[in-house]
Amino acid sequence: MIAIEELSKSWAAGPVLRDVSLVVKEGDVTALVGPSGGGKSTLLRCLNGLELFDAGTISIAGHRLAEGGHPPALLERLRRDVGLVFQQFNLFPNMSVLENVALAPRSVARLPAEEARSRALALLERVGLGSFAAARPVTLSGGQQQRVAIARALAMQPRVMLFDEPTSALDPAMSAEVLDVIGDLARGGQTMLIVTHDHGFARRAANRVVELVAGRVVRQGSAADLLE
Amino acid sequence: MTARLLLPLAPVIVFVLAAAPAATAELDEVVARGEFIWAADQEGGGPHVFPDPERPERLTGFEVELAALIAAELGVKPRFQQGQWDRLPLLLGRAADCVINGIELLPERRRDYHCSRPYFAYSLQLLARRDGPLDAFEKLAAPGPGGRWRVGVLTGSAAEIFMRSQADLEVDVIGYDGTIDSLEQVTSHVLDAAVMDDCIFNFYADRFAALRVVGRPFAGGLYTILTPRDTPRLSAAIDDALGRIIADGRLKSLYDRWDLAGRQQILALRDAAEIPPAGRRSLRQLAGEVLPLLLKSAGMTLLLSISAFPLAILIGLAIAIGRLHGPPILRPLLAGYVEVLRGTPLMLQLYAIFFLLPKVGLALPAIVAALAGLALNYSAYEAEIYRAGLKAVPPGQFEAALSLGMTKWQALRHVIVPQAVRLVMPPVTNDFIALFKDTSVCSVITVVELTKRYSVLALSTGRIVELAIVTALLYLAMSWPLALLSRWFEGQSEKHS
């Protein structure tokens, strides 16, 4: 589902990714771990074209990215198949919770309003927030906001879900509710790549672990082996 | 509550009180000062008072020489004071001892000021294009080929008063702030004709070779020197001085030098008949006539602002989006648009649209030109506000929208622009109030809005202070709801942030 080959990228300050290669198979839940500044988030952002890279190739959900700029049409097709959840949720404050989730099905997938709405409501039920459909995002707790963000990304029925430190901005209680939702998705067979610091969670939810240190893959293998 | 509501009015009241006439300078003060300050508008032009074409920093004109003669008679030096022509009398007692600038002797002026014995006899003259259909004054009695005749005059002049009093003519009278603005507009086919004092057209005839005089001069009158009513000795001294200048032939030789029909002039001035002062109507009478006019002009002010501002917002938003997200080659052009419109005065832009565009074949009606000028000028400010607003939306919002597969334009439309619009609501409402007041600038292109109507009515009725209060109240009645709206928006955006 994801194949990264010898990906390299440098900022002005120096290299951030060096010859990174890794594979995520369909149905895999891969945790991307490692110290801060190791390039985890940058790698994730390269996967859906939010960042460009200098060398190597990415193949993700049937789309191929090479170094240099990407054509906008390619990125739009790719991003429909690749969901991304941010550390800071990035919900749209100018819309209700329901509108946040229904916007992409409506404007990108061009579903009829009623269908987009019922799909959004079903996803909100799935993350346990059906009763918050009419609320504004600012009135929700951090954990609730992140669950809405997950529902929003799922609304495009992506083949791959990417998570960028989804619980780093949350306290333990709120983290737990978000991790429950992600664990639920894992059991449902959703292919996922999750950047996280939480080794306990990585061990429980992920079947594979990749450790990135100073832009290099230093270890990868099954979660059970690596995180013991 | 009443006190709280009235408190913001205090500056207006103070201003109006301060505008009441201050102490005026009598003859002895003028003599002690050694200077005789006379007011005129050099923009009014020749042959009265205008910058010397060879030495533009020096003023020339027959009234400059007349002022020098009178000053010499008083034993002092003349000093020129610049003012806008239709508001020159307001300088009396404050910045000037008298006004010498082609002021026609009219009953309204005799009511409000001391008018000296006349020093010049003028006639009104109708002017039109040589190749146009208007070749006789009588033709104005029936509609022309393009409907009612459009005739330009100088605002506040005898020509305007005369033309507006001719109810049986098929004529729309349009007032201009500059003497020869109307000639320009006849040349560029915006007007059918102009009416002005014959001496003015004679002076500029060479410059407007495409125009001709239509019929004989008509409805003549006399120029007078205005002084305040409360300086009788100064007024008498000026009358005496004029009498001596006329009697000993110095005025005649002055007019001969300026080619202003010497002999006929002097006869007319010697036999000048007294014009009785106009009566002062009661406030109640006045209210019935004046209030409807003021309300109608307030409507024009409102119409201009509520039609120009939405246009300014749309153009501004488009420019802001273009500068941040448009094609790179377009961005410097848009930046240039903003800098040019923001860096030049609104008045100049209105002039360009109204007076210069007709020269390249695009003659816009005054209201359309005013709307275009206001919308374009304010679009530059709105563009900057919206640019700041768009940049203030966190970048994560754009990334989140793109990550869902939206195009750049979908992300802008659904996510970024709605948030930016809410962020900039307070400064935008603020600009709406600013534009609302800037509509008064449109009077330079003949649009009669509230401020213009006020100054016209104040001069014709002599009720300067009373009408100022009414006008200020009308402005407040319109802008106060806007201020409340602005505060409400601020409250709303604070709630959401």
Side-chain angles (χ1 to χ4, degrees):
Chain A
M1 183 64 66
I2 304 177
I4 303 172
E5 283 177 37
E6 305 195 332
L7 196 74
S8 294
K9 175 179 178 64
S10 296
W11 297 124
V16 59
L17 296 172
R18 312 181 205 210
D19 292 330
V20 172
S21 296
L22 71 87
V23 172
V24 176
K25 291 206 283 289
E26 181 141 20
D28 266 359
V29 178
T30 302
L32 200 52
V33 299
S36 293
K40 304 185 297 293
S41 289
T42 306
L43 178 61
L44 204 70
R45 290 163 60 84
C46 284
L47 288 178
N48 85 337
L50 284 180
E51 297 286 354
L52 303 180
F53 47 90
D54 305 329
T57 57
I58 291 173
S59 161
I60 182 167
H63 308 279
R64 241 180 100 77
L65 297 177
E67 79 267 9
H70 314 305
L74 166 65
L75 287 180
E76 284 151 26
R77 283 199 308 274
L78 179 153
R79 285 165 178 163
R80 289 181 209 189
D81 295 330
V82 179
L84 176 60
V85 174
F86 297 84
Q87 182 180 349
Q88 297 296 339
F89 336 131
N90 293 344
L91 293 183
F92 306 135
N94 55 316
M95 302 174 194
S96 71
V97 163
L98 183 73
E99 288 164 341
N100 262 272
V101 182
L103 176 62
R106 189 87 183 84
S107 67
V108 179
R110 307 245 172 240
L111 291 189
E114 204 37 55
E115 202 174 322
R117 204 181 121 82
S118 55
R119 181 189 286 186
L121 266 177
L123 283 166
L124 285 174
E125 293 292 349
R126 191 165 155 197
V127 299
L129 292 171
S131 57
F132 290 88
R136 290 268 149 185
V138 281
T139 63
L140 270 51
S141 74
Q144 290 169 329
Q145 290 195 45
Q146 191 60 299
R147 282 145 68 195
V148 174
I150 293 171
R152 182 176 68 176
L154 288 172
M156 288 302 288
Q157 301 177 329
R159 300 177 60 194
V160 183
M161 284 284 280
L162 307 175
F163 292 83
D164 189 2
E165 307 204 20
T167 59
S168 297
L170 302 174
D171 65 33
M174 292 196 290
S175 294
E177 53 189 62
V178 171
L179 295 177
D180 282 348
V181 169
I182 296 175
D184 207 45
L185 288 177
R187 280 188 293 283
Q190 173 77 54
T191 309
M192 293 190 279
L193 181 60
I194 304 167
V195 171
T196 181
H197 285 297
D198 185 343
H199 286 202
F201 165 68
R203 197 165 51 232
R204 267 197 333 246
N207 58 343
R208 285 185 54 78
V209 172
V210 176
E211 187 174 5
L212 212 56
V213 177
R216 276 186 217 283
V217 177
V218 293
R219 292 195 296 171
Q220 57 177 316
S222 79
D225 293 347
L226 245 67
L227 296 171
E228 274 316 309
Chain B
M1 192 58 195
T2 317
R4 231 186 92 205
L5 281 174
L6 282 177
L7 197 59
L9 274 181
V12 178
I13 294 165
V14 169
F15 171 80
V16 167
L17 291 179
T24 49
E26 245 301 13
L27 179 61
D28 23 319
E29 289 166 64
V30 173
V31 171
R33 194 198 298 140
E35 272 183 337
F36 166 70
I37 305 171
W38 63 286
D41 186 358
Q42 52 181 318
E43 199 194 344
H48 304 77
V49 178
F50 58 103
D52 190 334
E54 267 141 44
R55 290 171 54 197
E57 75 285 358
R58 208 187 70 121
L59 285 181
T60 182
F62 78 87
E63 285 173 341
V64 176
E65 295 186 17
L66 179 63
L69 287 177
I70 293 171
E73 287 293 310
L74 300 180
V76 294
K77 285 197 166 72
R79 187 156 71 100
F80 170 77
Q81 170 63 50
Q82 168 65 30
Q84 189 181 319
W85 189 79
D86 61 352
R87 269 157 247 184
L88 286 173
L90 299 182
L91 297 177
L92 288 176
R94 234 183 316 278
D97 300 318
C98 69
V99 177
I100 309 179
N101 201 195
I103 304 289
E104 300 98 338
L105 189 53
L106 300 171
E108 291 79 15
R109 295 203 171 110
R110 291 222 50 211
R111 177 191 65 206
D112 298 332
Y113 307 99
H114 180 272
C115 296
S116 74
R117 62 180 295 166
Y119 64 87
F120 187 84
Y122 69 91
S123 302
L124 295 180
Q125 177 68 57
L126 180 66
L127 305 149
R129 280 184 305 281
R130 281 183 196 286
D131 57 1
L134 191 61
D135 52 13
F137 189 89
E138 293 69 34
K139 283 204 172 174
L140 293 179
R148 286 167 72 82
W149 301 97
R150 295 167 54 81
V151 178
V153 293
L154 177 63
T155 298
S157 67
E160 178 176 34
I161 293 165
F162 177 83
M163 291 307 288
R164 289 202 193 281
S165 69
Q166 302 299 300
D168 51 342
L169 295 183
E170 292 290 327
V171 161
D172 287 328
V173 181
I174 297 146
Y176 288 80
D177 279 352
T179 325
I180 56 171
D181 287 349
S182 55
L183 296 180
E184 296 274 2
Q185 296 260 293
V186 178
T187 310
S188 45
H189 294 250
V190 176
L191 296 175
D192 297 307
V195 174
M196 62 180 57
D197 301 0
D198 53 353
C199 60
I200 298 174
F201 180 70
N202 291 342
F203 186 80
Y204 286 105
D206 291 344
R207 196 195 291 183
F208 296 97
L211 305 186
R212 64 173 170 197
V213 300
V214 177
R216 300 276 304 155
F218 56 97
L222 301 159
Y223 289 167
T224 180
I225 297 176
L226 295 185
T227 43
R229 298 204 69 111
D230 53 0
T231 56
R233 277 174 289 134
L234 177 65
S235 305
I238 290 175
D239 274 336
D240 289 348
L242 272 176
R244 287 195 294 276
I245 295 165
I246 293 171
D248 67 11
R250 272 181 289 167
L251 194 65
K252 178 179 180 324
S253 61
L254 195 167
Y255 289 154
D256 283 342
R257 223 170 28 255
W258 284 92
D259 198 11
L260 293 167
R263 174 118 193 102
Q264 210 181 337
Q265 275 292 340
I266 301 304
L267 287 176
L269 298 184
R270 278 195 191 139
D271 310 335
E274 271 284 282
I275 293 180
R280 210 172 152 93
R281 272 163 301 173
S282 75
L283 273 181
R284 183 176 305 209
Q285 272 179 308
L286 205 62
E289 294 165 26
V290 159
L291 269 183
L293 285 173
L294 282 176
L295 281 174
K296 194 176 145 209
S297 309
M300 172 62 78
T301 292
L302 213 53
L303 172 79
L304 282 177
S305 2
I306 60 177
S307 355
F309 200 60
L311 281 174
I313 283 184
L314 286 180
I315 302 171
L317 185 56
I319 287 168
I321 292 174
R323 282 188 75 179
L324 290 173
H325 301 285
I329 51 156
L330 206 61
R331 295 181 196 182
L333 294 177
L334 295 175
Y337 172 94
V338 168
E339 290 315 327
V340 167
L341 284 174
R342 210 166 49 145
T344 54
L346 173 60
M347 190 189 282
L348 207 62
Q349 293 163 13
L350 289 170
Y351 263 124
I353 292 170
F354 191 60
F355 290 107
L356 299 185
L357 284 188
K359 292 192 191 298
V360 294
L362 185 61
L364 296 175
I367 291 187
V368 178
L371 277 180
L374 286 169
L376 290 178
N377 182 267
Y378 271 79
S379 73
Y381 294 95
E382 299 326 293
E384 285 303 275
I385 292 177
Y386 278 110
R387 195 163 69 99
L390 290 169
K391 286 172 91 170
V393 176
Q397 292 288 312
F398 208 62
E399 292 183 348
L402 293 180
S403 296
L404 290 166
M406 289 191 205
T407 64
K408 185 161 75 174
W409 301 113
Q410 283 176 326
L412 283 169
R413 186 180 141 210
H414 296 297
V415 177
I416 307 302
V417 170
Q419 294 186 55
V421 165
R422 182 172 298 162
L423 278 173
V424 301
M425 204 58 101
V428 166
T429 328
N430 209 29
D431 265 5
F432 186 29
I433 298 175
L435 174 135
F436 167 72
K437 290 176 296 184
D438 263 358
T439 52
S440 64
V441 180
C442 297
S443 67
V444 300
I445 57 169
T446 77
V447 174
V448 180
E449 42 59 65
L450 188 49
T451 299
K452 185 65 177 179
R453 180 70 75 188
Y454 160 71
S455 53
V456 170
L457 288 175
L459 291 175
S460 66
T461 63
R463 301 280 189 178
I464 296 173
V465 176
E466 296 91 332
L467 290 182
I469 293 172
V470 174
T471 305
L473 286 175
L474 278 174
Y475 268 112
L476 276 175
M478 293 188 284
S479 68
W480 211 311
L482 293 178
L484 293 178
L485 194 68
S486 160
R487 225 165 291 155
W488 182 78
F489 275 132
E490 271 169 55
Q492 288 294 305
S493 58
E494 268 161 32
K495 241 187 261 173
H496 283 289
S497 59

